[in-house]
């Protein structure tokens, strides 16, 4: 099936207000540069931070899924991502001909004992370097979208076991057929790893595709919030 603005929805969650998202977020800025006739539908959960109630990404993504039509495609994108590719729908039409879940970076044979698709961690969940780089796939720019240093992880497209959650595209019909959703035990960390493992266990095809985007963040693996959710992830999948 061909992806069009009528059957594709870009979904994002932000602490910002709706107006600030449009004007200030990297994702909002990048979407303003896309011609209207090439722009997918946009679904937002905004004001998702103190002093308001906070909804985790897994719960928010499940809500987006629940409101989608069977023949829809959803793109879950962090709000600090700048999408450079004006031909996003064409790229994803090609991607979904091959995969049910699509990302931009992942691992074809990750160490499943690690709470990451790319990094290794010690017993106390402190970073301990990279996993085997030869099994990684994809590319992501980091930092300033006007001149991002691009991290090339490996050949793409590639069938993967785990993907980075910075960008996750899903075929709604295939997810519903497989009864796959996000686990709401994961608020902002490890939801992507858990989702990919659930999808793979259900027989879905997961993989990377070459899409040009820049992510402002490189992750905060020292935070207590990350360590808590990583521990839940490891307990679930041990």
């Amino acid at each position: 099936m061909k992806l069009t603005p009528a059957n594709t929805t870009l979904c994002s969650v932000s602490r910002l207000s709706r107006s600030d998202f449009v004007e200030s977020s990297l994702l909002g800025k990048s979407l303003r540069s896309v011609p209207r006739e090439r722009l997918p539908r946009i679904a937002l959960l905004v004001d998702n931070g103190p002093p308001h109630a906070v909804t985790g990404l897994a719960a928010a993504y499940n809500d987006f899924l629940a409101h989608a039509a069977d023949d829809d495609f959803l793109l879950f994108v962090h709000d600090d991502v700048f999408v450079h590719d004006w031909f996003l729908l064409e790229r994803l039409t090609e991607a979904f001909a091959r995969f049910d879940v699509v990302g931009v970076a992942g691992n074809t044979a990750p160490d499943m004992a690690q709470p990451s698709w790319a990094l290794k961690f010690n017993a106390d969940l402190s970073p301990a370097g990279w996993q085997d780089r030869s099994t990684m796939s994809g590319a992501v720019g980091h930092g300033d979208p006007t001149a991002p240093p691009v991290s090339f992880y490996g050949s793409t497209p590639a069938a993967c076991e785990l993907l980075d959650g910075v960008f996750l595209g899903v075929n709604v019909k295939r997810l519903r057929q497989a009864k796959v959703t996000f686990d709401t035990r994961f608020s902002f960390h490890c939801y992507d790893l858990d989702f990919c493992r659930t999808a793979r266990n259900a027989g879905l095809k997961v993989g990377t595709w070459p899409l040009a985007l820049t992510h402002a963040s490189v992750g905060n693996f020292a935070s207590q919030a990350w360590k808590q959710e990583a521990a839940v992830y490891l307990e679930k999948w041990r």
Side-chain angles (χ1 to χ4, degrees):
M1 177 180 288
K2 182 178 180 180
L3 271 69
T4 69
N7 67 5
T8 309
T9 302
L10 188 151
C11 307
S12 191
V13 177
S14 180
R15 297 179 180 180
L16 301 175
S17 68
R18 185 172 297 271
S19 60
D20 285 344
F21 173 89
V22 172
E23 296 298 325
S24 303
S25 72
L26 282 187
L27 184 56
K29 290 178 180 179
S30 69
L31 294 177
R32 294 208 309 273
S33 69
V34 178
R36 183 172 296 275
E37 63 273 15
R38 307 301 309 135
L39 190 66
R41 296 173 300 188
I42 309 298
L44 301 176
L45 172 61
V46 294
D47 293 316
N48 193 50
H52 308 284
V54 176
T55 301
L57 290 181
Y61 289 178
N62 280 344
D63 190 57
F64 290 133
L65 279 169
H67 288 88
D70 275 347
D71 59 354
D72 280 350
F73 296 86
L74 300 189
L75 315 177
F76 300 113
V77 189
H78 290 186
D79 71 342
D80 61 345
V81 165
F82 195 98
V83 179
H84 300 277
D85 203 331
W86 297 325
F87 296 101
L88 182 66
L89 297 179
E90 285 82 1
R91 303 276 187 264
L92 289 170
T93 294
E94 298 171 347
F96 281 113
R98 180 167 169 182
F99 299 117
D100 306 309
V101 178
V102 177
V104 293
N107 201 320
T108 65
D111 182 347
M112 291 299 199
Q114 295 291 339
S116 170
W117 66 270
L119 297 175
K120 296 187 294 185
F121 293 85
N122 294 322
D124 63 353
L125 293 178
S126 58
W130 292 95
Q131 297 180 34
D132 183 356
R133 295 294 295 263
S134 70
T135 61
M136 296 181 192
S137 171
V140 180
H142 288 101
D144 181 358
T146 64
V150 180
S151 299
F152 287 98
Y153 299 108
S155 178
T156 181
C160 291
E161 295 298 320
L162 299 177
L163 298 174
D164 192 300
V166 65
F167 180 103
L168 290 174
V170 302
N171 181 327
V172 173
K173 180 180 291 185
R174 294 289 292 133
L175 259 62
R176 286 180 176 162
Q177 289 172 340
K179 296 180 172 58
V180 170
T181 59
F182 291 86
D183 187 335
T184 56
R185 283 179 286 181
F186 303 101
S187 294
F188 297 99
H189 308 285
C190 297
Y191 69 91
D192 46 357
L193 310 180
D194 178 80
F195 176 75
C196 289
R197 291 183 78 158
T198 301
R200 290 292 297 124
N201 282 357
L204 297 182
K205 298 176 181 178
V206 174
T208 55
W209 206 260
L211 302 171
L213 58 80
T214 297
H215 189 204
S217 171
V218 294
N220 183 6
F221 301 105
S223 71
Q224 192 60 34
W226 181 86
K227 290 187 176 184
Q228 288 174 348
E229 295 199 55
V232 173
Y233 171 80
L234 292 174
E235 176 63 23
K236 175 178 178 179
W237 291 101
R238 74 189 177 111

